[in-house]
Amino acid sequence: MVLKNPPGPDIQAALDERSGEIFRRIVETYLESGEPLGSRNLSRILPMSLSPASVRNVMSDLEELGLIYSPHISAGRLPTQLGLRFFVDAFMQVGNISAEDRASIERHVRPHGQKHSAVETMMNEASQALSGMSRGAGLVITTKNDAVLKHVEFIRLEPTKALVVLVGDHDQVENRIIELPAGVTSSQLTEAANFLNAHLSGNTLLEARSQLERLRGEISSELDKLSQDLVERGLAVWSGGFEEAKPTRLIVRGRANLLEGLAGADDIDRLRMLFDDLERKDSLIELLNLAETGPGVRIFIGSENKLFSLSGSSLIVAPYRDGDDKIVGAVGVIGPTRLNYSRIVPMVDYTAQLMSRLSR
């Protein structure tokens, strides 16, 4: 599990034992209750003897560092986004996942039936498990697998149009209409399909392209120019159909959890922005890119990433891999900045490890 970033040296140097303890108590109270912590209550719970006036002086220093703020006059203090990031990097202790949480994840995320039908079930259950245990929204993102071509067929629709039928290894079917080169005959359509099925069936797109390069000479000798053109067009259609290298599936469970504790219209609007973001394809790409940019679990707080900058949400995310150690998706939790990071990080990490094992 990798998530630590070195804390800012200036901030780290500015904190002594007393100010560090006061800062830690403010953040932990916020993460537990969402409430600000005042100087009088702080002076009662600190391990060292400090008056409320002395505590207020330290809190003022912490405000100047940008780590805490007062939500309104005469209130206690809450951590800023910078403060939360500093707490996560410098103070938070992340241990191993608890036996109870491990058992709960394993109970939900387990293999079912045939591999290709089990993937959807596994994603749903992983998302549901993370949502229920975190009280945030659990998410699972997956990329399309490198589909393997089983069969291709060209069916003429009009003199200048044909339907390309592509069948993949899990019997998924893509139908695409292509423009035909002028003068193509029915026998040339058959010839091109036969060539694709004979030489490229059983290959992924990447393998097919390499194979096609190796077969250039053979294509020229076996096929006439129009049939060669059809082979290229058939491969291009497959490229746009089965083989998308970016995520195409997102499962989010527990959205209702994010409604808890919302105080007003502004909060609802920010949550609506978050849901709108999650519905966009480019946001799925951004989510997976966030998971891919570093090993292990990553934590993004508030505006640290552009995807959630307006909604003010936090994201804890980790990638999972297939048998070739290639990243094929990510699992995570989205929620308010007041997440229980120290518990959720090992949960996300273990779920990603389990998804990796079951994806092989």
Side-chain angles (χ1 to χ4, degrees), residues 124-181:
N124 271 290
E125 293 186 343
S127 180
Q128 191 69 52
L130 288 172
S131 166
M133 296 167 68
S134 68
R135 301 307 301 160
L139 64 87
V140 179
I141 319 154
T142 185
T143 58
K144 273 191 175 179
N145 293 326
D146 289 340
V148 173
L149 180 67
K150 282 177 63 177
H151 182 76
V152 62
E153 187 172 352
F154 295 97
I155 302 172
R156 185 188 293 277
L157 301 176
E158 299 175 12
T160 58
K161 283 185 172 57
L163 181 70
V164 185
V165 181
L166 301 159
V167 182
D169 56 341
H170 293 324
D171 293 328
Q172 66 265 56
V173 177
E174 292 273 353
N175 297 316
R176 299 296 176 92
I177 295 176
I178 63 168
E179 296 290 331
L180 292 176

Side-chain angles (χ1 to χ4, degrees), residues 43-54:
S43 67
R44 294 193 189 107
I45 63 176
L46 289 172
M48 66 280 292
S49 178
L50 283 177
S51 68
S54 297

